[in-house]
Amino acid sequence: MTPLAIELVPCLSDNYAYLLHDQDAGLCAVVDPSEAPPVKKALAAKGWKLTHILNTHHHFDHTGGNVALKEEFGAEIVGPGKDRDRFAGLDTGVDESTGWSFGPRKVRVMEIPAHTSSHIAFIVDDAAFTGDTLFAMGCGRLFEGTPAMMWSSLSKLMTLPDATRIFCGHEYTQSNGRFALTLEPSNAALVARMRDVDAARAKGWPTIPSTLGLEKQTNPFLRPNSPELRKTLGMESASDVEVFGETRKRKDNF
Ligand SMILES: [Zn+2]
Ligand SMILES: [Zn+2]
């Protein structure tokens, strides 16, 4: 099987949509199209025809291009089956038990609520599309969930292999990293990663994808058991959920 081609499509001010192209099957999916025009431009540049639209959650900056792309290409919209009411034109509702198939590929669907109550991730081969739940060095805001719910969702993602490539919904990496450094200034992996991120951003390059292994080393939201992070927060004997919750609260005010 030819490896899936993944093309990053910058949208709006800091969103990313992704094109997934299966050359053998002649299929092309877009993940979280914020708006149609940049997606159409990327498709035309590649000579790919859109067949599917995948949504991780209902927020408009992830679904804004759905209707226009569906009208133009007749593409099938796939999203959280447990949230049909909030998706205009949803064709195929999926969840953890149904999974999904992209041509010959089995796609794993992970239910990872908290940013929204029905947020899902799509795991295709070694790529995880994590929407607004897991960001590079960050995590999404808790609009429809508790710290315990988000910690459980992130813990679920952390069961994937370390080599899993993480494709998230926004370019927030540099500001996330600055916040991370306030909690773990002595984390050598974090310091090194921030050097790379600053260099990439200075050239206007994306910092996506990362890997789950790198996130585990540098993302404070995956590191509530870090002694340095706990010491910074003054929470040496707290539970992981409590430490995670405090980290999230501090980021909200950062
Ligand atoms: Zn969102
Ligand atoms: Zn978003």
Side-chain angles (χ1 to χ4, degrees):
M1 202 160 25
T2 312
L4 206 62
I6 300 177
E7 186 78 8
L8 181 150
V9 186
C11 293
L12 304 176
S13 60
D14 53 31
N15 278 78
Y16 288 128
Y18 300 99
L19 295 180
L20 280 55
H21 184 243
D22 180 330
Q23 187 186 306
D24 305 334
L27 298 173
C28 184
V30 61
V31 178
D32 284 354
S34 316
E35 49 177 348
V39 174
K40 281 160 67 172
K41 208 171 146 197
L43 286 164
K46 286 283 173 186
W48 296 344
K49 189 189 168 300
L50 192 70
T51 54
H52 296 88
I53 297 166
L54 312 184
N55 295 132
T56 60
H57 65 297
H58 73 282
H59 285 160
F60 194 69
D61 63 311
H62 297 254
T63 58
N66 274 17
V67 172
L69 291 169
K70 182 176 176 171
E71 269 172 19
E72 171 138 2
F73 296 96
E76 174 184 339
I77 301 179
V78 180
K82 291 177 179 162
D83 208 358
R84 281 193 172 274
D85 294 350
R86 295 198 288 189
F87 283 84
L90 182 71
D91 296 300
T92 305
V94 295
D95 60 35
E96 253 170 35
S97 64
T98 66
W100 188 61
S101 292
F102 184 46
R105 284 181 170 77
K106 280 223 171 316
V107 175
R108 183 169 169 193
V109 174
M110 244 186 214
E111 294 174 23
I112 47 170
H115 178 69
T116 69
S117 58
S118 67
H119 196 302
I120 56 175
F122 294 93
I123 294 102
V124 194
D125 297 342
D126 72 336
F129 297 88
T130 58
D132 285 357
T133 296
L134 176 61
F135 291 125
M137 290 193 275
C139 84
R141 286 181 185 266
L142 309 183
F143 289 129
E144 300 178 1
T146 61
M149 200 186 284
M150 182 57 104
W151 176 239
S152 148
S153 293
L154 293 173
S155 300
K156 204 186 268 186
L157 287 167
M158 285 166 78
T159 63
L160 293 168
D162 280 356
T164 305
R165 292 181 295 160
I166 303 296
F167 294 87
C168 59
H170 291 267
E171 180 61 66
Y172 290 159
T173 315
Q174 196 170 33
S175 68
N176 285 341
R178 285 181 186 139
F179 170 70
L181 279 170
T182 67
L183 301 178
E184 289 191 291
S186 307
N187 179 338
L190 173 57
V191 171
R193 184 177 183 186
M194 267 311 270
R195 266 200 295 270
D196 296 344
V197 165
D198 287 341
R201 294 310 292 155
K203 294 176 186 141
W205 293 351
T207 61
I208 310 302
S210 64
T211 64
L212 183 61
L214 187 57
E215 294 307 322
K216 285 181 182 173
Q217 290 178 344
T218 57
N219 187 327
F221 296 100
L222 304 187
R223 296 176 56 75
N225 54 5
S226 151
E228 186 185 13
L229 185 144
R230 285 173 166 256
K231 189 152 183 276
T232 304
L233 297 176
M235 298 179 80
E236 272 104 333
S237 56
S239 69
D240 283 349
V241 174
E242 287 167 335
V243 173
F244 170 80
E246 179 61 22
T247 306
R248 184 58 261 178
K249 200 190 290 173
R250 290 204 184 198
K251 179 65 166 67
D252 287 341
N253 301 314
F254 180 65

